[in-house]
Amino acid sequence: MSIFSTMIATATAVATFLLLLTLTSANGPNRHFNKIYAFGASYVDTGNTNATTAPSIFRYASNLPYGRTFFHRPTNRYSDGRLVIDFVAESLSLPYLPPYLNLEADTSTGINYAVAGSTAIEHEFFVENNLTLAITPQSLQTQLSWFNKTLEGLNCKSAKSTSRECRAVFRDSLVWLGQMGSNDYTYTLRSNVSAETIQRLAIDRVTRFLEAVLNKGAKYIVVEGLPASGCLAISLFLSPASDRDDLGCVASVNNQRFIHNTILQANIQNLRIRYPKAVIVYADYWNAYRSIIWNGPRLGFQELYKVCCGAGGGPYNFNLAAICGSQSASSCQDPSQYVNWDGLHLTEAMHKVLSDLFLEGPFTYPPLKYLLSRKNDSN
């Protein structure tokens, strides 16, 4: 049986749900938390990188047209507007999360530690393998060290040694871990480092991160799986036309991410058993992404693979030598009709539908509403 068979079998039901999302306004989970602590890479980063600190391929994210749709200015988000984490904050009636490196920001309602280009595996691994070109030095371990500094300032050392202080931090806090590992695979592409090595190490590092925050006392955690990155313009641009799946995306990339997610989910289930007082929700980014591609026109997406902001024409309008924000690139008139923003990142419209699927839909396990009910029962 193909790994896509379940997806195909439920396509009609998912299509109906997605259509309803376009016709109704999701109420969201409302104000169940007073803080969000977010981690991840460029799909979550709300400003920890900029033109001078980001990987070279991201060096124009401090320029328009980035940010044009909602903020009407660049905010160092890797999109034309809001990200999934922004819509999550809105649904919880919280302000958008300030980046950790903005030392003047109000952090009373949470902090975003995500860094564009960051890896699950520590940077030293890439140095040892001579893979440091255009790679950000911040990893998930860096983000954890930043988080630990925040917790130290709140006198939270561990759930055992400072139980009262840590309970005060996490009682009303949501921990959101965006997808981590895609950059690890990308940075080692065509190197001597095997994909199997990356899979093993990246999943191990994410699991260790989750163990660390659970030992601090985290009670409510959402973990995103890897997206179907084979549907991104950069993957399609770099792969042979023979390497395609049932949706026209790069089969080898999507298969790799699917297997990665399967192992990650098994580790998450083990953590649920070890930490029964915590609620760990898995956000199925892979299937959510694919469901949107499958039902794109119903959702108003007329361009599923071509980038809104880029250059080069052709089927993808993507050129690594003329990326979004550079003088050679231009942006489309209506980004809401596009899934791909710049070939590596998504449009605000895509982030919005994804957030709806996570907050209200069938792509979180257990459902996010279960986490919220557990939260309410504990009050």
Side-chain angles (χ1 to χ4, degrees), residues 202-327:
I203 293 173
D204 173 76
R205 299 310 188 264
V206 170
T207 304
R208 289 188 188 188
F209 170 87
L210 293 171
E211 288 178 322
V213 296
L214 285 162
N215 287 332
K216 290 291 185 180
K219 295 180 64 179
Y220 310 103
I221 304 175
V222 176
V223 184
E224 292 181 2
L226 299 186
S229 302
C231 298
L232 292 173
I234 187 171
S235 298
L236 293 161
F237 179 80
L238 294 174
S239 68
S242 58
D243 186 8
R244 295 292 184 267
D245 62 19
D246 58 324
L247 288 181
C249 302
V250 180
S252 59
V253 173
N254 279 355
N255 291 348
Q256 180 188 73
R257 303 310 198 257
F258 179 88
I259 295 169
H260 179 110
N261 290 339
T262 301
I263 300 170
L264 175 62
Q265 288 178 78
N267 285 14
I268 290 173
Q269 180 57 29
N270 289 334
L271 291 174
R272 292 186 183 116
I273 295 170
R274 291 174 52 197
Y275 298 88
K277 294 183 179 180
V279 182
I280 309 173
V281 170
Y282 175 73
D284 190 352
Y285 213 126
W286 191 91
N287 272 312
Y289 195 121
R290 278 182 49 88
S291 72
I292 296 170
I293 297 297
W294 190 275
N295 299 286
R298 297 172 184 260
L299 299 168
F301 293 119
Q302 303 304 316
E303 295 290 351
L304 304 179
Y305 311 111
K306 182 180 290 187
V307 303
C308 169
C309 183
Y316 311 120
N317 191 38
F318 182 77
N319 186 339
L320 281 169
I323 58 177
C324 181
S326 66
Q327 291 185 349

Side-chain angles (χ1 to χ4, degrees), residues 21 44 66 77 112 149-150 170 204 225 267 281 306 312 372:
L21 284 178
V44 183
Y66 284 91
R77 284 170 171 80
N112 193 329
K149 290 180 181 179
T150 298
F170 290 109
D204 173 76
N267 285 14
V281 170
K306 182 180 290 187
L372 297 173

Side-chain angles (χ1 to χ4, degrees), residues 92-349:
L92 294 171
S93 302
L94 294 173
Y96 300 130
L97 294 182
Y100 172 78
L101 294 179
N102 181 356
L103 302 180
E104 298 179 357
D106 178 2
T107 59
S108 61
T109 57
I111 302 174
N112 193 329
Y113 301 89
V115 180
S118 65
T119 53
I121 305 169
E122 58 276 6
H123 185 63
E124 289 73 16
F125 171 84
F126 298 94
V127 174
E128 291 169 2
N129 287 279
N130 298 314
L131 296 168
T132 57
L133 182 65
I135 296 178
T136 181
Q138 289 87 11
S139 66
L140 187 57
Q141 183 60 42
T142 306
Q143 297 177 40
L144 180 60
S145 68
W146 289 348
F147 187 44
N148 286 336
K149 290 180 181 179
T150 298
L151 296 178
E152 288 170 8
L154 298 170
N155 299 315
C156 170
K157 297 180 180 179
S158 76
K160 290 184 177 180
S161 64
T162 55
S163 59
R164 179 182 298 177
E165 290 81 359
C166 290
R167 192 162 51 247
V169 171
F170 290 109
R171 181 176 56 240
D172 297 310
S173 296
L174 176 65
V175 175
W176 190 284
L177 176 58
Q179 59 94 5
M180 289 297 296
S182 289
N183 290 328
D184 302 70
Y185 287 110
T186 300
Y187 292 158
T188 53
L189 190 66
R190 298 191 177 96
S191 75
N192 293 326
V193 179
S194 69
E196 291 76 18
T197 297
I198 295 302
Q199 178 189 93
R200 174 175 55 82
L201 293 177
I203 293 173
D204 173 76
R205 299 310 188 264
V206 170
T207 304
R208 289 188 188 188
F209 170 87
L210 293 171
E211 288 178 322
V213 296
L214 285 162
N215 287 332
K216 290 291 185 180
K219 295 180 64 179
Y220 310 103
I221 304 175
V222 176
V223 184
E224 292 181 2
L226 299 186
S229 302
C231 298
L232 292 173
I234 187 171
S235 298
L236 293 161
F237 179 80
L238 294 174
S239 68
S242 58
D243 186 8
R244 295 292 184 267
D245 62 19
D246 58 324
L247 288 181
C249 302
V250 180
S252 59
V253 173
N254 279 355
N255 291 348
Q256 180 188 73
R257 303 310 198 257
F258 179 88
I259 295 169
H260 179 110
N261 290 339
T262 301
I263 300 170
L264 175 62
Q265 288 178 78
N267 285 14
I268 290 173
Q269 180 57 29
N270 289 334
L271 291 174
R272 292 186 183 116
I273 295 170
R274 291 174 52 197
Y275 298 88
K277 294 183 179 180
V279 182
I280 309 173
V281 170
Y282 175 73
D284 190 352
Y285 213 126
W286 191 91
N287 272 312
Y289 195 121
R290 278 182 49 88
S291 72
I292 296 170
I293 297 297
W294 190 275
N295 299 286
R298 297 172 184 260
L299 299 168
F301 293 119
Q302 303 304 316
E303 295 290 351
L304 304 179
Y305 311 111
K306 182 180 290 187
V307 303
C308 169
C309 183
Y316 311 120
N317 191 38
F318 182 77
N319 186 339
L320 281 169
I323 58 177
C324 181
S326 66
Q327 291 185 349
S328 303
S330 60
S331 61
C332 65
Q333 185 174 7
D334 185 2
S336 69
Q337 296 184 2
Y338 288 68
V339 167
N340 274 258
W341 166 244
D342 59 8
L344 292 85
H345 306 101
L346 310 175
T347 60
E348 177 183 273

